[in-house]
Amino acid sequence: MRRIRYAGESVVTGDAIAALVVEYSEALAKANTAGTVEIPVLLGDGSVGTATMLVGPASQLIMVPELTETADIVDEELMASLKQRIEDLGPVEAVLTERDDQPVHSLDDLDFPTDGSDQL
């Protein structure tokens, strides 16, 4: 099991679920967006409940091992959903826009100095 520390609180969930939550948060941050995720968590009385987390660019998650006598929480459907969400975010690519009202189609359209100076 893993404990995820988040927004001054913490939750305990399965190893694979915690790893995917962190990976999803990283993917959201790279895409400069946020999303919610609902995960199964171990409650204080030993039962399993649900936590909803908002994760994204400002999320600061810490994942640490948690020793419990409870079996690891596994939710195959959730894990497949998180993997799909991560894949759907895809790789982040730079987008070229206009400069001085002139369209930029490639880096060649920009006037980079060739004299070694860093002035644009």
Side-chain angles (χ1 to χ4, degrees):
M1 300 278 259
R2 300 279 182 210
R3 179 173 297 276
I4 300 174
R5 298 189 189 283
Y6 169 79
E9 298 292 330
S10 67
V11 295
V12 175
T13 192
D15 290 343
I17 293 169
L20 282 169
V21 167
V22 170
E23 187 177 343
Y24 180 50
S25 179
E26 179 182 11
L28 287 165
K30 287 179 180 177
N32 198 32
T33 190
T36 58
V37 62
E38 194 169 283
I39 62 170
V41 295
L42 183 64
L43 300 177
D45 64 2
S47 64
V48 175
T50 303
T52 303
M53 301 168 65
L54 171 65
V55 292
S59 297
Q60 296 180 353
L61 305 177
I62 300 172
M63 180 177 61
V64 295
E66 179 76 14
L67 298 175
T68 68
E69 295 187 18
T70 306
D72 196 39
I73 299 172
V74 177
D75 184 330
E76 296 294 339
E77 187 176 323
L78 169 67
M79 292 187 302
S81 172
L82 283 172
K83 287 176 185 175
Q84 186 62 55
R85 289 183 192 187
I86 293 164
E87 187 176 306
D88 289 348
L89 287 168
V92 177
E93 297 180 15
V95 176
L96 299 175
T97 59
E98 291 185 8
R99 178 176 178 207
D100 298 328
D101 296 325
Q102 297 296 316
V104 176
H105 301 288
S106 75
L107 291 177
D108 293 333
D109 293 337
L110 298 173
D111 297 321
F112 288 108
T114 57
D115 62 0
S117 71
D118 60 356
Q119 299 295 319
L120 291 178

